[in-house]
Amino acid sequence: MNRQHLFKWGLLFLFVMAGCQHPGDEEPPKLFAHRGASDQFNESTLTAYKIAADEGVDALEIDLRMTADGELVVMHDETIDRTTNGSGPVDAYTFDELAAYPTVGGGGRIEKIPMLRDLFDTFGETEHYYIETRLINGKAVMERPLIQLLNEYSLIEKKKIIIQSFSEKSLHEVNKLAPGVPLTRLFGRGKGTIMQASLPIYDHIGIESTDATPQRVMMLHYLGKDIHVFFNDPKTEKAEQKRVKKLGVEGYFTNDILYAKKLLH
Ligand code: G3P
Ligand code: CA
């Protein structure tokens, strides 16, 4: 057998071993409430997270933004246009100014944008928090106040936190400030190389469901990474949740908690 053949068979062996041995295969995926119970109430609000907690999930998924006065608030978009009755970038407003723009969505009731602190005051140590950081103008500036806040509530030492980000720079900063906090590197659709995913500081890799192919799942498992899948398209989410179920991934960011529970448990 020449070298090329040996390499090919070696790779195949590793794929098969990875597929056979990964411990996550035996357990159903963990469920993370994507922006709270976002199918039932205005996303990223206290009420959406209360519904999610009542339905029972492994963690509350939370997107972070920072206001002009440095408050960490729970919001996905860079602007408040889509999810409130106002407009403009989140960081153009102080937290008090944001109160003038209540959230909108499927809830049919006025509710303001919450501070991250509001969630901790509401749920304390009864929930796990899966927090997404992002750069602000290319800089890792939300990480330090975030870690300070987590320490204030003792959430890191109580192992209640996972931090996720599409930004390698942000995750490095978190790792520097709080080594040992579990980290998830997110990759958008079609993005992310094996080299990028293999960084030892990442415990989990978050990929969009259409990227969850048997080959990719095997390779990431071979690297020793758990895989958490998010679902970008509401029209295909249920079908995708069913398809991905067969692949043995470790987590779903679900927009429909009860559906995912019925499917997986
Ligand atoms: O955090 C997982 C998933 O939420 C990533 O996508 O855009 O919904 O934050 P996005
Ligand atoms: Ca997110």
Side-chain angles (χ1 to χ4, degrees):
M1 197 182 283
N2 65 29
R3 266 184 182 205
Q4 215 178 4
H5 275 104
L6 205 60
F7 181 70
K8 264 192 200 162
W9 283 108
L11 263 187
L12 186 65
F13 175 74
L14 290 173
F15 280 159
V16 171
M17 292 306 285
C20 293
Q21 290 181 347
H22 200 272
D25 291 352
E26 290 127 39
E27 287 177 20
K30 289 193 164 29
L31 291 182
F32 315 124
H34 191 235
R35 308 180 197 171
S38 50
D39 57 329
Q40 297 184 52
F41 197 81
N42 306 0
E43 70 176 51
S44 306
T45 56
L46 218 42
T47 298
Y49 287 106
K50 279 181 186 164
I51 297 169
D54 284 348
E55 290 182 346
V57 285
D58 294 289
L60 307 174
E61 196 268 342
I62 299 165
D63 293 288
L64 277 193
R65 294 276 170 189
M66 210 170 187
T67 62
D69 55 343
E71 194 60 64
L72 292 172
V73 291
V74 184
M75 165 145 317
H76 178 270
D77 296 3
E78 191 173 359
T79 73
I80 62 172
D81 299 31
R82 181 180 63 86
T83 57
T84 77
N85 66 7
S87 67
V90 182
D91 61 7
Y93 297 98
T94 62
F95 182 71
D96 286 346
E97 286 167 347
L98 276 182
Y101 306 106
T103 58
V104 294
R109 170 157 74 73
I110 288 180
E111 189 161 320
K112 65 176 191 156
I113 299 166
M115 291 190 274
L116 180 59
R117 179 184 286 281
D118 293 331
L119 265 65
F120 298 158
D121 284 335
T122 304
F123 302 109
E125 294 167 14
T126 62
E127 294 296 325
H128 289 78
Y129 306 92
Y130 203 148
I131 301 173
E132 183 177 341
T133 56
R134 39 176 52 84
L135 300 180
I136 301 175
N137 299 320
K139 297 204 177 85
V141 290
M142 64 165 59
E143 292 73 8
R144 189 173 290 276
L146 170 62
I147 299 300
Q148 273 169 359
L149 189 64
L150 297 177
N151 283 334
E152 188 185 323
Y153 285 82
S154 304
L155 292 170
I156 293 178
E157 63 182 86
K158 300 279 173 141
K159 301 195 183 306
K160 297 291 177 182
I161 301 294
I162 301 177
I163 295 191
Q164 47 164 336
S165 189
F166 286 100
S167 163
E168 180 181 330
K169 189 170 169 179
S170 175
L171 292 174
H172 271 297
E173 183 67 10
V174 171
N175 187 243
K176 193 176 87 188
L177 297 168
V181 172
L183 299 180
T184 301
R185 173 70 190 272
L186 300 171
F187 291 112
R189 183 182 287 194
K191 303 245 173 75
T193 63
I194 292 298
M195 278 293 280
Q196 287 171 319
S198 65
L199 265 192
I201 63 168
Y202 304 149
D203 302 277
H204 326 106
I205 300 296
I207 54 175
E208 205 264 337
S209 73
T210 55
D211 284 331
T213 60
Q215 295 79 4
R216 192 158 192 178
V217 167
M218 270 197 284
M219 186 51 97
L220 291 171
H221 280 165
Y222 173 63
L223 292 176
K225 310 297 183 187
D226 281 0
I227 302 168
H228 296 169
V229 175
F230 52 93
F231 301 88
N232 273 355
D233 183 355
K235 288 196 213 93
T236 59
E237 176 164 349
K238 285 184 179 162
E240 278 293 272
Q241 288 205 6
K242 265 192 197 164
R243 183 187 67 80
V244 173
K245 182 184 171 191
K246 300 182 192 114
L247 300 178
V249 303
E250 287 73 23
Y252 277 16
F253 294 97
T254 182
N255 294 294
D256 188 334
I257 299 162
L258 296 180
Y259 175 81
K261 275 191 145 172
K262 204 166 163 199
L263 176 72
L264 302 170
H265 301 156

